[in-house]
Amino acid sequence: MDLQVLRSFQAVAEGVTVTEAAAAAHITQPALSRALNRLEREVGAELLQRVGRVLQLTPAGRVFKEHVDAVLDSYDRGRRAVAEVVDPDAGVVSLAFLHTLGTWLVPRLVTGFRQRFAAVRFELHQADENGLAEHLLDATADLIITGKDPGHPLITWRRLLVEPLWLAVPARHRLAQRRRVRLAEVSGEQFIVLKPGYGLRSVTETLCRQAGFSPLVGFEGEEVETLRGLVASGLGVSLIPAAPDAAAAPETNPELPVRYLRLTDVQAVRDIGIARLASRTLPPATRRFVDHALSATAAQV
């Protein structure tokens, strides 16, 4: 059984066409079709069936794919481990992180790390709060950077920093000239929030409850930058981290299209931490990245 055939089977099972999978494998489409047919004969069951113009997994194919995923993941990890024995300063760090951290924290940590270990490569994945734990559990990432402790018995979490959240209002909002407000002062306004499942959404709902109300949701999005743009357009208010261009004191910059106000009636912060599977031995490069992340954020905890 050829590993490349297993990779092609995996790709087709995940929605890639046979033509695209053949091109990725640098073989012809008929050659890949024959290879997939041989794979089915070896396994002793039909793995893929045509539904309309696409191939879909059969029940036997779904079972087989779970084992193929595990085999290929183990093989790739083995290659990485050997590569790091040969060259301890190289390796691959597989990291998944919250969407909201992709604009500042993750680029900062990765850039700082690569200044010391330039040969290390990164495999980066974005997900919401719920999807991050799955990246660890299904072995598609060695580390996750998340907004809270996943609370899973197999996952070990360590705090990196405490991130302040601000009430973002449009520049012409009635409160825009203030620096500090109570969250309760906007209890009757529309909130621009992330969709359920995102950590920032649950933090927003919790803080609003602490302030004595439930947020009136006007829009649900998937990116903080989208929330920021809708706030700037006057469509509502939002609880979000300050924009990178707001610098260290966002409430003092009158030129921003969004004003960031400090909240006085609730503790508007969220924990940011790094997590791994407790039972998994991390490769050297990944262990070094954990140490770097903890060191680089130590002053912000």
Side-chain angles (χ1 to χ4, degrees):
M1 192 174 294
D2 189 333
L3 281 177
Q4 183 55 60
V5 176
L6 292 181
R7 292 194 191 280
S8 296
F9 165 76
Q10 184 185 58
V12 172
E14 293 174 353
V16 175
T17 67
V18 173
T19 300
E20 291 169 337
H26 304 292
I27 60 176
T28 65
Q29 184 269 330
L32 179 55
S33 296
R34 291 193 296 271
L36 293 175
N37 289 334
R38 286 196 301 273
L39 179 62
E40 290 182 323
R41 290 196 297 271
E42 291 178 20
V43 173
E46 183 184 29
L47 303 175
L48 297 161
Q49 60 184 1
R50 185 166 295 280
V51 178
R53 308 181 78 177
V54 299
L55 288 175
Q56 293 186 356
L57 287 170
T58 64
R62 284 193 292 273
V63 171
F64 184 63
K65 184 179 181 298
E66 293 179 6
H67 295 276
V68 168
D69 290 345
V71 166
L72 293 177
D73 177 69
S74 180
Y75 175 76
D76 290 338
R77 289 182 182 278
R79 289 188 60 188
R80 284 170 50 188
V82 170
E84 291 183 358
V85 169
V86 174
D87 185 358
D89 290 330
V92 178
V93 176
S94 180
L95 174 67
F97 55 92
L98 283 176
H99 291 78
T100 54
L101 303 179
T103 59
W104 69 282
L105 180 60
V106 171
R108 184 184 303 172
L109 291 177
V110 170
T111 299
F113 184 77
R114 294 201 65 193
Q115 287 174 351
R116 297 174 56 201
F117 302 101
V120 172
R121 294 189 300 106
F122 280 82
E123 294 177 353
L124 300 177
H125 314 269
Q126 282 186 309
D128 60 26
E129 199 80 59
N130 296 330
L132 285 174
E134 293 304 314
H135 273 290
L136 285 182
L137 297 172
D138 66 13
T140 55
D142 289 329
L143 300 172
I144 60 173
I145 298 181
T146 180
K148 63 180 180 180
D149 187 338
H152 193 285
L154 300 180
I155 295 175
T156 298
W157 181 89
R158 296 183 66 179
R159 181 182 289 107
L160 290 176
L161 56 89
V162 177
E163 182 182 35
L165 301 176
W166 306 77
L167 179 66
V169 302
R172 296 185 178 181
H173 191 272
R174 59 186 174 85
L175 301 174
Q177 302 309 310
R178 304 252 305 267
R179 292 190 179 184
R180 292 171 174 78
V181 298
R182 291 179 298 112
L183 184 57
E185 293 183 65
V186 292
S187 60
E189 303 200 24
Q190 289 203 87
F191 273 72
I192 310 298
V193 297
L194 294 178
K195 290 182 177 180
Y198 288 82
L200 193 56
R201 170 64 176 266
S202 62
V203 171
T204 296
E205 291 173 339
T206 297
L207 291 175
C208 288
R209 282 196 300 270
Q210 292 175 2
F213 68 97
S214 295
L216 176 63
V217 175
F219 177 83
E220 297 179 328
E222 297 180 350
E223 296 285 348
V224 168
E225 291 309 309
T226 299
L227 308 192
R228 222 184 298 278
L230 293 175
V231 170
S233 298
L235 299 179
V237 301
S238 189
L239 280 175
I240 53 177
D245 57 0
E251 76 273 34
T252 64
N253 189 341
E255 302 302 321
L256 296 175
V258 173
R259 301 290 192 267
Y260 297 94
L261 312 180
R262 192 181 300 275
L263 294 169
T264 60
D265 56 342
V266 292
Q267 188 177 12
V269 297
R270 64 170 176 171
D271 286 333
I272 302 297
I274 192 165
R276 49 168 293 193
L277 282 185
S279 60
R280 180 174 297 163
T281 300
L282 295 178
T286 305
R287 289 200 305 271
R288 283 194 287 264
F289 181 76
V290 172
D291 293 339
H292 167 75
L294 291 168
S295 174
T297 57
Q300 302 175 60
V301 176

